[in-house]
Structure formats: structure tokens, C-alpha cells
Amino acid sequence: MCGRFVLFTSGRDLLEEVEALPGVSRVEAPEGTPPPRYNVAPTQQVPLIRFDGDTARLDPARWGLLPSWKKDDSGPPLFNARGETVAEKPSFRSAFRARRGLMVLDGYYEWKDKQPYYVTPAGGTLYAAAVWETGLDTLSVSMVTTESAGEEMSWLHNRLPLFLARDEIEQWVRGTPEEALDLIHPSRMAGELSFRPAAKEVGNVRNDYPELIGG
């Protein structure tokens, strides 16, 4: 489960991070990169990374998938897609077959007993498996989730984003659906995550400032 995240890496730093991904020799960001954000919520705009040959493209996308068959954006936003059912569920199966990309995070929030925690890697950014659509003439995205692995994170929540190791990214974005399905397992990255209490003000989506992440 991931319903709030943080991305403070921006500008040239973000472009260089993406350019360093396996198989990427060029990065395009026609609309630029977003400013630092500390409380990104569903239905807001997030940077979606898509691939065309050796080019990675960053575009703003609605966080909450809008399948092609939807007639409006009513209903709960589809901001997470369970990895175990992403290939079969009507809302996601078409995107999973042909439109897989990445969401980039510096960390995310999870709640336990009403206390928010900020979850972050030891260093660098995180790349979460994602699927995207263009229903309602809107670029939209959903983050794929999987079961938590081991006690490192399962005490906090039984699910987490499907964070991809660098050597898994090309298989997810360029592989066949069958090859992508092979990655649907508890993330190898779980052991590299750490957590700390975050400010309770993160519960209000209008709050967006560095002090939210604690530390």
C-alpha cells in the first residue's frame, strides 16, 4: 500500500538519476521536472517514466489510473494495483500488457496506530513498478504493490510498492507480460529501507514541506 510519497529530487539531479538507469542514453522531459514535493497524494500530478528504445521520457501524470473504458473520473482513484491480480483485473490488465513504466520516489509514508512513518532507502532514489493509461484523454498511472518481505517492513504494513532493483527495470518495462509477471514477488529492495516517525501533519494533504519527513 502506498497512498502518500515524497520526491524532493528535482531538476537536473532527477534527469541525471533517470539517465543513469540501465539501457537509457537519453532523457526527455518536455514539461520539465516537478518541484520538490513532501506530501504527494492520489489524483495529484506525478512524474511518470516511460521508455522508447534507449530514450526515457518524463511526463506529468494523474496518480490514479483512468482506464480507457471509464466515462468519467468518479469513484475511488486507482492509485495502487495489486501485483497478484494486475494481469487479470479489468482495470489494469490492458495497461499491464502494453503500458508499463516507472514511478520515482525518495520515500513514502505509512501509518501504524495513527502514527505516520517515513520510509526511505539508505541512499539514492526508488523506482516503483507502474502501469499507465490515457483514458479520458488524460495520462494516468497506478503504482504496483506486493506483499512485504520479512520482518523489516511487514510490522508496519503487509504490503509495499514493488520497488525494482536496477537489474530488474528493463525486464519490467521492456519484457513480455510473462517476463514482467516473474517480478511480482516481495521486493528485493525491502531490506534496504529504513523508517522513522514522521510529522502527524502529513495527514493533511495541504501540508507540503520538508519537516514532514522527520529526522
Side-chain angles (χ1 to χ4, degrees):
M1 181 75 178
C2 178
R4 299 284 181 83
F5 73 87
V6 173
L7 178 61
F8 50 76
T9 301
S10 187
R12 186 66 233 171
D13 289 340
L14 179 57
L15 296 178
E16 290 177 353
E17 279 276 349
V18 176
E19 194 171 20
L21 293 176
V24 174
S25 62
R26 181 183 177 192
V27 179
E28 295 180 351
E31 299 189 41
T33 62
R37 296 289 309 281
Y38 294 87
N39 196 4
V40 183
T43 74
Q44 294 181 348
Q45 295 290 298
V46 300
L48 167 64
I49 305 174
R50 297 179 290 171
F51 295 82
D52 182 11
D54 62 356
T55 298
R57 179 179 170 117
L58 273 73
D59 289 296
R62 177 188 190 267
W63 187 20
L65 200 75
L66 296 169
S68 58
W69 45 263
K70 275 188 73 78
K71 294 180 171 56
D72 54 51
D73 62 0
S74 62
L78 302 174
F79 57 92
N80 284 166
R82 291 177 68 93
E84 297 86 348
T85 58
V86 68
E88 293 88 23
K89 195 169 183 179
S91 296
F92 304 113
R93 62 190 178 195
S94 177
F96 174 76
R97 284 197 301 268
R99 291 176 290 280
R100 297 187 300 273
L102 302 174
M103 291 176 68
V104 57
L105 298 74
D106 283 304
Y108 71 100
Y109 297 105
E110 197 58 81
W111 276 257
K112 179 75 170 180
D113 299 328
K114 298 184 180 181
Q115 170 63 53
Y117 290 86
Y118 177 56
V119 184
T120 185
T125 52
L126 293 163
Y127 293 92
V131 293
W132 57 273
E133 279 280 14
T134 56
L136 299 178
D137 295 321
T138 300
L139 183 60
S140 61
V141 63
S142 184
M143 185 184 298
V144 179
T145 67
T146 186
E147 293 182 356
S148 296
E151 297 181 358
E152 299 96 337
M153 296 304 301
S154 59
W155 72 271
L156 182 58
H157 201 281
N158 62 355
R159 300 193 67 79
L160 79 166
L162 177 55
F163 293 125
L164 299 171
R166 295 291 175 119
D167 60 359
E168 295 175 324
I169 287 175
E170 287 197 90
Q171 182 176 338
W172 175 258
V173 300
R174 306 183 200 277
T176 65
E178 293 74 20
E179 290 170 335
L181 272 177
D182 286 341
L183 297 172
I184 306 295
H185 52 68
S187 175
R188 289 165 46 192
M189 305 295 290
E192 300 181 19
L193 300 175
S194 62
F195 52 85
R196 61 177 181 258
K200 292 187 176 181
E201 288 79 4
V202 74
N204 187 332
V205 298
R206 292 190 294 270
N207 294 326
D208 191 344
Y209 43 83
E211 290 78 11
L212 293 176
I213 66 176

